[in-house]
Amino acid sequence: MHWHLYISLFGLSMIKFMFAPFGGPAMKLNFFETYLSCVAGAFAAAFIFYFSSEFFMIRAHNKRKALLHASITNGTPLKYKPKFTRFNKLIVRLKRRLGIYGIAFYAPLFLSVPVGSIVTAKFYGKEKRTFPLILLGICINGLITTGIAYGIKALF
């Protein structure tokens, strides 16, 4: 068995799910080995980061508060960091345009599974269908990206 190859794709899928299937043909794995390794890695990352998203959001908030407090006590001006960055505007625009389905399906694919899961949980964490939609999106996007990877391999 090629466990180290499966684990490599599993780990890569936890970070950047969109590009992980392209490693499968190079590792001489078949379509299903690649697909299952990648989807399993994305599932694991989605589970970890979706259900711990509140921890990460609270941690980021506390860090911002500590920086503000430190700047006030030291008398040093806090570097201005805009809240409405291009990225934030893009996320909000996508949320309004695509809704829960678009964010749950495409945020983990295009942003990364950790960031996409946290963003989806931030916007739609109270809805019960959110996490199953993320998993469904991972399955569908995994089929598409793995199919593209093996389609490109067949061309060359």
Side-chain angles (χ1 to χ4, degrees):
M1 283 254 151
H2 304 286
W3 289 106
H4 63 285
L5 299 177
Y6 303 142
I7 291 170
S8 297
L9 281 180
F10 181 93
L12 183 59
S13 293
M14 289 181 79
I15 299 166
K16 197 60 184 162
F17 177 62
M18 180 191 279
F19 301 111
F22 292 93
M27 295 177 184
K28 301 203 182 345
L29 297 176
N30 67 39
F31 179 89
F32 293 107
E33 291 172 326
T34 301
Y35 175 74
L36 292 176
S37 297
C38 292
V39 167
F43 272 22
F47 182 83
I48 292 166
F49 287 96
Y50 180 82
F51 290 108
S52 62
S53 63
E54 191 171 339
F55 166 77
F56 290 112
M57 288 186 278
I58 290 170
R59 184 173 166 218
H61 176 73
N62 290 340
K63 186 176 179 182
R64 281 191 300 273
K65 278 177 47 178
L67 286 172
L68 179 64
H69 180 68
S71 71
I72 291 171
T73 56
N74 295 340
T76 57
L78 188 63
K79 184 178 174 184
Y80 175 72
K81 186 177 176 187
K83 290 184 181 181
F84 295 108
T85 62
R86 284 184 179 174
F87 182 72
N88 289 347
K89 288 179 185 177
L90 173 70
I91 297 290
V92 171
R93 204 173 311 130
L94 288 174
K95 177 188 180 238
R96 288 183 180 163
R97 206 172 273 163
L98 303 175
I100 189 171
Y101 295 101
I103 296 294
F105 273 48
Y106 300 116
L109 178 69
F110 290 113
L111 299 177
S112 76
V113 178
V115 174
S117 297
I118 291 170
V119 166
T120 306
K122 181 175 183 171
F123 289 136
Y124 299 108
K126 302 290 185 217
E127 293 194 36
K128 291 181 181 181
R129 62 187 173 149
T130 304
F131 189 67
L133 284 173
I134 290 173
L135 298 181
L136 179 63
I138 287 170
C139 290
I140 293 169
N141 291 321
L143 275 173
I144 292 168
T145 54
T146 307
I148 290 169
Y150 281 89
I152 289 172
K153 178 191 173 207
L155 291 175
F156 298 104

